[in-house]
Amino acid sequence: MEKKIPYKIYLGEDEIPTQWYNMRADMKTKPAPLISPADGHALTLEEMNPIFCEELNKQELDNDTAYFDIPAPVLEFYKMYRPSPLVRAYFLEKALGTPAKIYYKFEGNNTSGSHKLNSSIAQAYYAKAQGLKGVTTETGAGQWGTALSMACAYFGLDCKVYMVKVSYEQKPFRREVMRTYGATVTPSPSQTTEVGRKILADHPGTTGSLGCAISEAVEAAVSTPGYRYVLGSVLNQVVLHQSIIGLETQAALRKYDIKPDILIGCAGGGSNLGGFAAPFFGEILRGEANYKIIGVEPASCPSFTRGTFAYDFCDTGMICPLAKMYTLGSQFIPSANHAGGLRFHGISPTLAQLYHDGLFEARAVEQTAVFEAAEQFARTEGILPAPESSHAIRVAIDEALKCKETGEEKTIVFNLTGTGYFDLYAYQQFNDKTMSDVIPSDEAIADSLKKLPKFGNE
Amino acid sequence: MEKKIPYKIYLGEDEIPTQWYNMRADMKTKPAPLISPADGHALTLEEMNPIFCEELNKQELDNDTAYFDIPAPVLEFYKMYRPSPLVRAYFLEKALGTPAKIYYKFEGNNTSGSHKLNSSIAQAYYAKAQGLKGVTTETGAGQWGTALSMACAYFGLDCKVYMVKVSYEQKPFRREVMRTYGATVTPSPSQTTEVGRKILADHPGTTGSLGCAISEAVEAAVSTPGYRYVLGSVLNQVVLHQSIIGLETQAALRKYDIKPDILIGCAGGGSNLGGFAAPFFGEILRGEANYKIIGVEPASCPSFTRGTFAYDFCDTGMICPLAKMYTLGSQFIPSANHAGGLRFHGISPTLAQLYHDGLFEARAVEQTAVFEAAEQFARTEGILPAPESSHAIRVAIDEALKCKETGEEKTIVFNLTGTGYFDLYAYQQFNDKTMSDVIPSDEAIADSLKKLPKFGNE
């Protein structure tokens, strides 16, 4: 007899995976390495160590080891909020009247409000194990900064967050969560760094940018003994840590003999899509199974669907190493009207390579449609989703409605990365019907792509 | 061999209690009935039906039925977010260095952010079953309004929330969550009711009060065909619905053969303390067991510890029925400096009677000490607690530290009612060190108590 599927599938704490899975080991074409913006050579461990933590650099460069042991203290911390539930969306299915079976992995039941904590705790651990005093980072909306401050509080590390000034002022609540966890939050640009002082002198009254905050965080790390810089997305190491999401999802599905047909994740820098889909990509890469995997991005910032596969800067400040990715150009800035997150111009090199090799499909969705899906999901499933996550919800609903037309009983699984409790300005725009869709013109994208670096692209 | 206690004890969905427990059935002295403010007679079902839902009124007046079946649609909704976990606070215990074993029931893992949803879904169900079009209510900070709007969205009921104007303007995020769930949120006082118009004429520029919002919500309910007024605390029916918290806690403890020594809940109107402790009070009342139960209230609003046991108005507007409770007087308003919630001047009649009969102890705590506990909890257990819940955390920590001194291995269980994601103004005050403790003077309380009604107190 078929087991009755509960509303929420919880693994036991002894079923939390004890290793992270590194997709790169199974990829025939490895992701292109990070290269120097100065002369285009592939960066070495020795060159990366002054900026990033050593053990993380090893993970970053390792394309061969398939499984990394999760350190015991990280595994213990995971038990604070993991395993996260795999939820059967019975209420949503009923509202849609679809024969499809919809599941979502819910990563938002922790105070950071998102999956970011999975990597921040690992990064803080390695920083502590290396004997560092603290770490620096940048944050825009604040999810990564919050996750990092929680992790640093746990390991007794100092945490310096450079927060884009406009966010610092307009989103005081994220800032206060970080402060409650003991982080120092500095509005960027600031007087605390050389690059900050220069930008303030050149552009008095600027409200800052993520690119500038990255530059300040990197300077603060390399100029302060005992500090390193850490990053919450894009890098291979982050995708590695986030594989915990996919491994738990896979274990929960197997527990009830569920075979997914479609797997859906939203795509910004790529850490959640990569982490969620990792073991399923692994099965495809090893020829063991086949799945339809969909990455969903905002139509306002369509790296996969309208970007180009090339080396580019990861930051708008054009000082960081170059990564090979699908990119809209490092100078691309989504319309100010864009409220739905996922603003990064590029994508993790690992995912870029997988996309280039045809392992998954990308879809761009418009933000009013995204918030319509978010509202329907909130009302039926009782969780107010993060705008980012709602991109995946939109496509999950679209696919379920297709099943309604065809009568197919497909199994759809998506990653609900987080909650929208700190994104209510965006919901207000939607409720007030002042939200609109702005799609970048071909000219704007072509213009931005003119500034691709020459190294790696010659 | 003793079973290893996991970090989070989850019951199965088939272990969710199917009945609510009504403590009043086991009480020798029943709580005093609600009486009319006009002539002091005990209100009858017929008198209550035009204002409140019929089935809820029956529950309100029933002092004899020990168990009420939870309706199937409510039970199904509960599976959206229940059973809630009973968490072993291993991380906090370690930080405190205490031999005590600390557990907390976590009611905040749903979008309303608190336990309020347990009762709002029941109340919405009965309203729908009665064939009503909608319900009205008031909200201050917004937890109850959010929970009710979620419940109404689920059952397709119209939901009119009167939100104290100052909160409406200063806390736009809670308002937007309610709007996302389809509720109409009106700043109170408003032009939509007679009482609202009168107050606006008499006090132009007023920022509103909970008493005024109650008056508007009641008027809107009785003057609109197909509407009734609902309330999120104080009433016996609410304590009944919230017994789901205690019943699940009891089941989880029994599953691992854990015998609690101390049970702790915060006390505002009394719904969470009453619901959490209900089955344990039941055991005491039936002479089956004994527990130390502690209700924790703010020193700024100390109903139990400095109030008097008397009939009083439930609202500052002095129009609602009179309830016998521990009260500071219906005109008592906590200092504007008070940031920690639990502002109600009285307490549920059920709890008032239990307190009068010596079944539990009350303790008043100052808000800076409460936020110190909140911060320590957030940093160790990874959950940013609601200020209300943090009152219980404060006393749980105090009791655990006593155990550290004496070496006793007591088992402490408290109710973590919710999360603090919408209370970051208060955290900001704490982080900025601008928070202080203001304790009302004896004269202020005595003054306020001069306005007790004569009925019931003669």
Side-chain angles (χ1 to χ4, degrees), chain A residues 63-97:
Chain A
N63 286 338
D64 304 309
T65 307
Y67 289 92
F68 285 84
D69 286 341
I70 301 174
V74 175
L75 210 49
E76 193 188 2
F77 185 90
Y78 278 166
K79 290 185 183 171
M80 199 185 278
Y81 68 101
R82 306 202 71 84
S84 71
L86 180 71
V87 185
R88 173 75 182 265
Y90 283 119
F91 298 103
L92 179 62
E93 288 172 19
K94 195 174 158 190
L96 297 173

Side-chain angles (χ1 to χ4, degrees), chain A residues 21 23 26 67 86 105 243-254 258-264 272-294 354 359-360 411 413-415:
Chain A
Y21 166 60
M23 284 187 279
D26 287 316
Y67 289 92
L86 180 71
K105 181 72 170 165
S243 70
I244 188 90
I245 306 173
L247 292 165
E248 276 188 14
T249 303
Q250 190 182 48
L253 291 170
R254 286 181 176 167
I258 303 160
K259 243 198 83 59
D261 297 299
I262 305 175
L263 295 147
I264 304 167
N272 99 77
L273 174 62
F276 166 65
F280 305 99
F281 278 128
E283 288 183 67
I284 301 174
L285 288 165
R286 295 188 303 270
E288 296 164 4
N290 209 359
Y291 305 104
K292 179 172 177 174
I293 299 178
I294 308 174
L354 289 169
L359 270 88
F360 69 100
T411 296
V413 187
F414 70 90
N415 191 22

Side-chain angles (χ1 to χ4, degrees), chain A residues 126-149:
Chain A
Y126 290 117
K128 186 72 181 179
Q130 191 178 329
L132 297 176
K133 281 189 208 156
V135 291
T136 72
T137 200
E138 77 291 336
T139 202
Q143 285 172 319
W144 169 246
T146 309
L148 188 65
S149 61

Side-chain angles (χ1 to χ4, degrees), chain B residues 266 297-298 300 335-343 367 370-371 386-391 423 426 429 435:
Chain B
C266 62
E297 61 185 12
S300 333
S335 160
N337 181 292
H338 174 67
L342 309 172
R343 313 175 67 88
Q367 70 178 357
V370 165
F371 277 83
E388 293 82 0
S389 322
S390 304
H391 288 73
D423 301 287
Q429 286 173 38
M435 177 178 279

Side-chain angles (χ1 to χ4, degrees), chain A residues 362-432:
Chain A
R363 211 171 284 178
V365 290
E366 298 184 10
Q367 69 177 359
T368 51
V370 166
F371 277 83
E372 280 163 18
E375 183 189 87
Q376 182 169 29
F377 185 81
R379 291 188 183 186
T380 52
E381 290 289 320
I383 296 170
L384 188 85
E388 291 83 359
S389 322
S390 304
H391 289 71
I393 298 173
R394 174 73 273 162
V395 170
I397 290 176
D398 290 345
E399 291 294 318
L401 290 175
K402 277 187 210 164
C403 289
K404 188 178 180 176
E405 279 179 27
T406 61
E408 289 173 291
E409 292 186 26
K410 287 190 179 164
T411 296
I412 300 167
V413 187
F414 70 90
N415 191 22
L416 188 71
T417 52
T419 50
Y421 305 142
F422 293 93
D423 301 289
L424 284 153
Y425 280 120
Y427 275 95
Q428 183 169 1
Q429 287 173 39
F430 178 72
N431 293 333
D432 288 342

Side-chain angles (χ1 to χ4, degrees), chain B residues 77-248:
Chain B
F77 185 89
Y78 278 166
K79 290 184 184 172
M80 199 185 278
Y81 69 103
R82 306 202 69 84
S84 71
L86 180 69
V87 185
R88 173 74 182 266
Y90 284 118
F91 299 102
L92 179 62
E93 288 172 19
K94 194 174 159 192
L96 297 173
T98 177
K101 296 174 176 68
I102 308 175
Y103 295 85
Y104 56 92
K105 180 72 170 166
F106 181 38
E107 290 290 315
N109 261 353
N110 70 76
T111 282
S112 83
S114 83
H115 66 295
K116 297 276 182 187
L117 196 55
N118 299 330
S119 183
S120 70
I121 192 64
Q123 298 195 40
Y125 166 77
Y126 290 118
K128 185 72 180 179
Q130 190 179 329
L132 297 176
K133 280 189 210 154
V135 292
T136 72
T137 200
E138 78 289 338
T139 203
Q143 284 172 319
W144 168 246
T146 309
L148 188 66
S149 62
M150 289 177 72
C152 287
Y154 184 72
F155 284 120
L157 274 174
D158 187 34
C159 180
K160 291 184 198 295
V161 179
Y162 287 86
M163 188 170 188
V164 178
K165 188 181 270 175
V166 61
S167 293
Y168 182 91
E169 286 163 1
Q170 288 184 356
K171 300 186 177 178
F173 294 157
R174 278 269 189 211
R175 180 186 80 207
E176 291 308 320
V177 181
M178 292 184 257
R179 289 180 71 204
T180 302
Y181 281 94
T184 313
V185 188
T186 306
S188 167
S190 75
Q191 297 287 354
T192 68
T193 65
E194 206 167 302
V195 62
R197 288 188 292 272
K198 184 173 183 317
I199 290 168
L200 283 171
D202 293 351
H203 307 278
T206 175
T207 56
S209 72
L210 206 56
C212 166
I214 293 177
S215 307
E216 288 205 85
V218 171
E219 182 186 323
V222 299
S223 65
T224 318
Y227 282 74
R228 293 294 184 280
Y229 169 68
V230 297
L231 191 61
S233 190
V234 183
L235 296 176
N236 297 325
Q237 63 192 256
V238 183
V239 177
L240 172 70
H241 305 148
Q242 294 297 357
S243 70
I244 188 90
I245 306 173
L247 292 165
E248 276 188 13

Side-chain angles (χ1 to χ4, degrees), chain B residues 59-72:
Chain B
Q59 294 178 352
E60 191 63 29
L61 296 174
D62 191 331
N63 287 339
D64 304 310
T65 307
Y67 289 93
F68 286 84
D69 285 341
I70 301 175

